[in-house]
């Protein structure tokens, strides 16, 4: 049964499912919802009470007038006065109580709405963190942000609005109609004839508003994606470098104008709706007085009943409209929930299987067995049938032309993705059999484009080990060759690096990343060397830092420097996702294959640099005063 429902593709089937799932969100709040229902029923009933009290007052007044008019007794009119006074007190009391209950209702309502939102936001964030890197390479960041913030905020309105409003309306309507029918069924019949005339325009407006709302949310997500892209540091630099400010303004202008127009249209639809409500609100009591007046003349009704009826009629339209619109308000709230559920339902590709093992003391033995991987189904393999082994403590170098799959191989080792075929093993365990935490703890990486948070240098380094004492952070920074830079900065390690570390140079950023890895101290280190050539002094500092980092652990370096390939225990040469050669530098050079030609292209220039480097180093060592 459930399964059939799940497979249903029709819109109603899926809507039902979304609705059921939305209701499920309220399960933790069952108690509060019950209280809310009680409060709503109480306020709805109290809101109708004044109509009855007014009826009592008017009837007492007319009775009193008749009594004094016929001069029957002063006591009768005196009794009427007391009655009117008491009824007035009752009116005040009912209005006050209703007001106080209204405050309580508002609180409970908010508590539920915000509670649901709080959980949704938390679940969404947790789920997004578990999604594979693939999702983030395919989705615009701004779009994600819009869903987590704007859409979830919309949910709060939907919850507090739709749900409470519906209950409130249903109860008010039921009680009011009941009262009307008991007071005078013929008058009630008038109201019942007029009311349905009103259903169509109300529903129509609701539909329009819902469509406009959906468009608004889509456009808003687009706009925030655009903002995120063009107003981030890299984005701003790209726009400026190509002088595309006008182009970007135009793109923004389009979204901006659409949002403006959609909002105006939505507001206007609301205005037309209000106009309709106003008209009916004004005309319906008129009709009641007309019919009721005639009935009073015919002595069939008391004036009080007619007045009460007029009040009730006015009170009936609003809730009736709400109920008529319930379909559309519900659908537009469901559309919001749908967008959120859509994200919550994104499959987690890289998942920890139940019973996954923890790697307690990993030795750092890395193996790829017949590993093939493509970024998308149908795309060509970025990694094809790779077999490789790096023993604990060894240093392996990956070399190959751009796009050969070197970075991809390191992604697989960090389990950013799972291979489509073959296995990636650490210490003989398939990565899919160990906990994600184990992998993250065992493998540390300094990637091609270093990412830093907008925080202090110290905090960025401490990301490697959150509980590291300041002394360790400083030691890591020193070991990464950051000492001179930190001494130069007025705030030292507490200097904030700016978004993505834009206040640091490329070399400095990479050394911060190295410091982070030193602090983390992983058994397996992945290093994607910077391709940009650095000045020889910096080059030497980074080389020394990475050499220190490589000691006592398995290291896999994507090598762009001669010194690295010379130091490597084993070199894997990749081309088109395959390992085409492997061995040590001298052997590979002797084979005169791809490695030899890469060597001539990439590394030979390094030889001169290395020599110059050695000379510079020797000079610096001889004259320490120049550097310090
Ligand atoms: N997220 C992705 N989605 C789809 N294809 C990708 C993705 N990332 C990389 N690729 C493709 O996979 C192939 C291997 O890319 P990879 O980044 O591993 O190359 P690389 O050897 O590290 O190159 P470089 O030396 O330029 O850094 C390339 O053809 C690339 O276009
Ligand atoms: Mg790369």
């Amino acid at each position: 049964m459930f399964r059939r429902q799940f497979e249903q593709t029709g819109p109603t089937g899926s809507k039902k499912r979304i609705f059921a799932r939305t209701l499920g969100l309220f399960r933790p709040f069952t108690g509060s919802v019950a209280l809310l229902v009680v409060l709503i029923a109480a306020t709805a009933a109290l809101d109708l009470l004044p109509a009855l009290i007014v009826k009592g007052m008017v009837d007492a007044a007319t009775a009193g007038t008749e009594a004094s008019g016929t001069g029957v007794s002063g006591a009768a009119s005196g009794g009427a006065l007391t009655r009117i006074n008491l009824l007035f007190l009752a009116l005040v009391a009912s209005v006050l109580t209703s007001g106080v209950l209204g405050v309580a209702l508002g609180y409970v309502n908010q508590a539920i709405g915000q509670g649901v939102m709080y959980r949704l936001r938390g679940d969404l964030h947790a789920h997004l963190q578990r999604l594979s890197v693939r999702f983030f390479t395919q989705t615009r960041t701004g779009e994600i942000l819009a869903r987590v913030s704007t859409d979830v905020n919309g949910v709060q309105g939907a919850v507090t609005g739709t749900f409470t409003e519906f209950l409130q309306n249903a109860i008010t309507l039921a009680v009011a109609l009941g009262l009307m029918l008991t007071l005078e069924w013929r008058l009630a019949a008038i109201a019942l004839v007029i009311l349905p005339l009103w259903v169509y325009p109300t529903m129509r407006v609701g539909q329009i508003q819902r469509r406009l709302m959906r468009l608004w949310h889509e456009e808003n997500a687009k706009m925030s994606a655009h903002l995120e892209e063009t107003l981030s540091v890299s984005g701003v630099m790209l726009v400026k470098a190509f002088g595309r400010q006008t182009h970007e303004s135009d793109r923004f202008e389009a979204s901006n104008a659409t949002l403006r127009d959609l909002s105006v249209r939505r507001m206007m639809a609301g205005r037309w709706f209000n106009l309709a409500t106003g008209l009916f609100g004004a005309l319906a009591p008129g009709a009641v007085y007309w019919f009721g007046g005639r009935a009073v003349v015919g002595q069939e009704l008391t004036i009080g009943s007619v007045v009460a009826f007029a009040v009730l009629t006015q009170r009936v339209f609003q809730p009736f409209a709400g109920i008529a619109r319930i379909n559309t308000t519900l659908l537009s709230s469901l559309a919001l929930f749908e967008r959120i559920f859509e994200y919550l339902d994104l499959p987690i590709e890289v998942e920890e299987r139940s019973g996954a093992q923890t790697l307690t003391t990993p030795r750092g033995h890395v193996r790829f067995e017949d590993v093939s991987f493509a970024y998308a189904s149908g795309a060509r393999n970025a990694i094809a049938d790779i077999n490789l082994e790096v023993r604990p403590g060894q240093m392996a170098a990956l070399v190959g032309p751009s796009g050969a799959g070197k970075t991809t191989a390191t992604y697989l080792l960090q389990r950013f993705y799972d291979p489509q075929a073959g296995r990636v093993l650490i210490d003989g365990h398939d990565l899919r059999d160990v906990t994600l935490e184990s992998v993250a703890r065992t493998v540390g990486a300094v990637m091609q484009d270093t990412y830093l948070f907008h925080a202090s240098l110290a905090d960025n380094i401490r990301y490697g080990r959150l509980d590291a004492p300041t002394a360790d952070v400083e030691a890591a920074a020193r070991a990464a060759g950051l000492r001179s830079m930190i001494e130069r900065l007025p705030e030292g390690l507490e200097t904030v690096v700016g978004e993505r570390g834009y206040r640091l140079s490329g070399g400095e950023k990479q050394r911060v990343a190295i410091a982070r890895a030193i602090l983390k101290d992983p058994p397996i280190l992945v290093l994607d060397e910077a391709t940009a050539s650095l000045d020889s002094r910096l080059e030497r500092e980074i080389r020394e830092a990475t050499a220190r980092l490589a000691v006592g652990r398995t290291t896999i370096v994507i090598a762009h420097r001669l010194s690295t390939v010379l130091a490597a225990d084993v070199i894997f040469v990749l081309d088109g996702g395959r390992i085409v050669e492997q061995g040590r530098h001298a052997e590979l050079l002797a084979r005169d294959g791809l490695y030899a030609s890469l060597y001539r292209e990439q590394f030979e220039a390094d030889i001169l640099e290395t020599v110059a480097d050695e000379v510079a180093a020797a000079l610096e060592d001889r004259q320490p005063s120049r550097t310090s």
Side-chain angles (χ1 to χ4, degrees):
M1 158 77 193
F2 181 73
R3 203 182 152 74
R4 238 194 56 210
Q5 220 179 34
F6 193 77
E7 282 165 359
Q8 243 172 348
T9 45
T12 34
S14 59
K15 263 174 212 151
K16 249 189 234 160
R17 229 170 56 232
I18 298 168
F19 183 65
R21 192 161 164 193
T22 306
L23 279 188
L25 293 173
F26 290 89
R27 200 158 301 133
F29 302 97
T30 318
S32 307
V33 171
L35 179 60
L36 187 68
V37 172
V38 171
L39 284 173
I40 289 173
T43 44
L46 277 176
D47 275 352
L48 295 175
L49 204 55
L52 292 183
I53 296 176
V54 166
K55 168 180 153 48
M57 284 164 91
V58 173
D59 284 345
T62 35
T65 331
E66 278 159 17
S68 51
T70 50
V72 173
S73 74
S77 63
L81 279 180
T82 325
R83 218 172 127 71
I84 291 173
N85 287 341
L86 285 176
L87 282 170
F88 177 68
L89 285 182
L91 184 76
V92 171
S94 87
V95 169
L96 275 180
T97 321
S98 154
V100 172
L101 286 185
V103 173
L105 188 149
Y107 172 75
V108 178
N109 200 4
Q110 276 294 319
I112 296 173
Q114 298 289 347
V116 169
M117 191 163 102
Y118 163 83
R119 286 180 55 115
L120 266 185
R121 245 194 330 239
D123 289 352
L124 205 55
H125 183 250
H127 189 79
L128 285 171
Q129 292 222 52
R130 292 172 66 204
L131 289 180
S132 86
V133 178
R134 191 193 310 274
F135 168 74
F136 296 93
T137 60
Q138 289 171 352
T139 318
R140 305 214 289 181
T141 316
E143 174 101 33
I144 303 177
L145 296 186
R147 289 213 195 185
V148 179
S149 55
T150 321
D151 288 7
V152 175
N153 283 342
V155 158
Q156 195 263 333
V159 168
T160 48
T162 315
F163 175 71
T164 359
E165 217 173 87
F166 174 73
L167 266 184
Q168 218 154 8
N169 290 340
I171 294 173
T172 313
L173 191 64
V175 176
L177 284 179
L179 276 179
M180 286 163 84
L181 281 170
T182 39
L183 278 176
E184 170 55 49
W185 69 269
R186 279 169 300 176
L187 273 178
I190 294 190
L192 286 176
V193 168
I194 299 179
L195 280 177
L197 294 180
W198 207 39
V199 172
Y200 178 74
T202 325
M203 282 172 56
R204 186 78 202 108
V205 168
Q207 272 166 6
I208 294 172
Q209 281 188 319
R210 172 170 158 250
R211 191 171 51 82
L212 294 176
M213 192 71 196
R214 202 192 53 236
L215 292 176
W216 188 90
H217 274 278
E218 278 166 16
E219 194 61 41
N220 183 53
K222 236 196 268 175
M223 183 191 237
S224 86
H226 177 232
L227 282 178
E228 210 274 337
E229 266 176 17
T230 51
L231 294 184
S232 64
V233 183
S234 326
V236 163
M237 290 203 284
L238 182 68
V239 172
K240 283 190 193 298
F242 284 87
R244 290 279 180 261
Q245 287 89 341
T246 323
H247 171 73
E248 293 306 335
S249 296
D250 290 347
R251 281 214 302 159
F252 185 75
E253 157 66 21
S255 283
N256 198 8
T258 311
L259 283 184
R260 176 198 58 201
D261 297 343
L262 285 174
S263 298
V264 170
R265 280 166 62 196
R266 192 154 59 93
M267 212 277 286
M268 283 320 290
R271 285 275 162 238
W272 287 114
F273 172 74
N274 284 347
L275 174 70
T277 326
L279 276 182
F280 275 102
L283 290 182
V288 168
Y289 282 123
W290 169 71
F291 187 90
R294 294 162 59 103
V296 170
V297 172
Q299 302 253 318
E300 293 169 54
L301 272 180
T302 65
I303 300 179
S305 296
V306 176
V307 173
F309 225 93
V311 174
L312 286 175
T313 317
Q314 258 171 326
R315 302 236 36 148
V316 146
F317 279 100
Q318 204 69 44
F320 191 79
I323 303 265
R325 275 155 56 103
I326 186 67
N327 194 31
T328 40
T329 32
L330 202 64
L331 286 182
S332 53
S333 318
L334 286 189
L336 267 184
F337 280 105
E338 192 175 3
R339 280 167 66 86
I340 292 165
F341 291 153
E342 214 173 275
Y343 265 20
L344 280 176
D345 289 345
L346 287 171
I348 295 174
E349 293 174 65
V350 176
E351 199 164 18
E352 187 171 297
R353 73 169 179 78
S354 61
Q357 265 181 292
T358 309
L359 293 175
T360 35
T361 45
R363 292 173 302 126
H365 183 228
V366 174
R367 251 179 99 91
F368 278 52
E369 281 181 6
D370 304 319
V371 174
S372 293
F373 170 75
Y375 277 101
S377 59
R380 82 176 178 86
N381 280 348
I383 293 288
D385 246 339
I386 280 192
N387 280 288
L388 65 80
E389 179 174 14
V390 188
R391 274 191 271 279
Q394 268 193 335
M395 172 166 158
L398 301 182
V399 299
S402 181
K406 306 178 296 286
T407 302
T408 308
T410 65
Y411 286 166
L412 294 180
L413 182 60
Q414 295 175 76
R415 214 186 160 201
F416 288 166
Y417 303 93
D418 282 331
Q420 276 93 3
R423 305 194 296 163
V424 179
L425 308 147
I426 291 181
D427 292 355
H429 298 284
D430 190 329
L431 290 189
R432 286 170 288 210
D433 294 334
V434 296
T435 61
L436 292 172
E437 185 274 333
S438 295
V439 178
R441 184 166 34 80
T442 309
V443 186
V446 178
M447 298 312 288
Q448 216 162 8
D449 58 347
T450 309
Y451 190 88
L452 301 182
F453 289 115
H454 187 130
S456 68
L457 276 170
D459 286 343
N460 268 295
I461 296 173
R462 197 176 273 120
Y463 208 67
R465 176 152 52 89
L466 293 179
D467 58 357
T470 310
D472 289 8
V473 174
E474 280 168 1
R478 270 200 305 279
L482 280 170
R483 190 198 338 217
S484 57
M485 181 192 93
I486 288 168
E487 279 168 1
R488 220 178 46 238
L489 293 168
E491 286 169 82
L493 266 178
E494 291 311 317
T495 310
V496 171
V497 299
E499 179 155 22
R500 280 166 167 261
Y502 272 107
R503 291 197 211 148
L504 302 183
S505 78
E508 288 164 347
K509 261 194 291 187
Q510 193 153 46
R511 274 176 293 162
V512 173
I514 291 172
R516 192 152 63 187
I518 292 177
L519 195 63
K520 176 172 172 178
D521 195 21
I524 299 171
L525 176 73
V526 171
L527 195 69
D528 209 339
E529 275 183 350
T531 31
S533 56
L534 305 162
D535 73 65
S536 55
R537 158 111 181 271
L538 194 57
E539 160 91 38
R540 186 164 69 100
E541 276 186 9
I542 291 189
R543 194 172 69 230
E544 284 170 4
T546 45
R548 265 195 295 272
L549 189 53
V551 171
R553 69 184 94 237
T554 311
T555 315
I556 296 174
V557 190
I558 296 175
H560 294 289
R561 285 197 277 275
L562 181 65
S563 54
T564 318
V565 287
L566 287 178
D569 297 302
V570 56
I571 301 166
F572 298 100
V573 186
L574 271 84
D575 190 21
R578 294 177 188 282
I579 294 184
V580 290
E581 293 170 13
Q582 81 180 67
R584 297 196 57 133
H585 173 71
E587 299 160 27
L588 291 175
L589 215 51
R591 276 181 66 161
D592 201 23
L594 179 61
Y595 181 79
S597 68
L598 277 174
Y599 168 77
R600 283 192 291 273
E601 264 171 42
Q602 274 192 17
F603 303 129
E604 211 152 46
D606 273 8
I607 298 176
L608 273 180
E609 260 180 48
T610 314
V611 173
D613 221 22
E614 298 304 321
V615 174
L619 283 176
E620 270 174 22
D621 289 345
R622 211 170 296 163
Q623 292 163 284
S625 55
R626 262 183 55 192
T627 50
S628 54

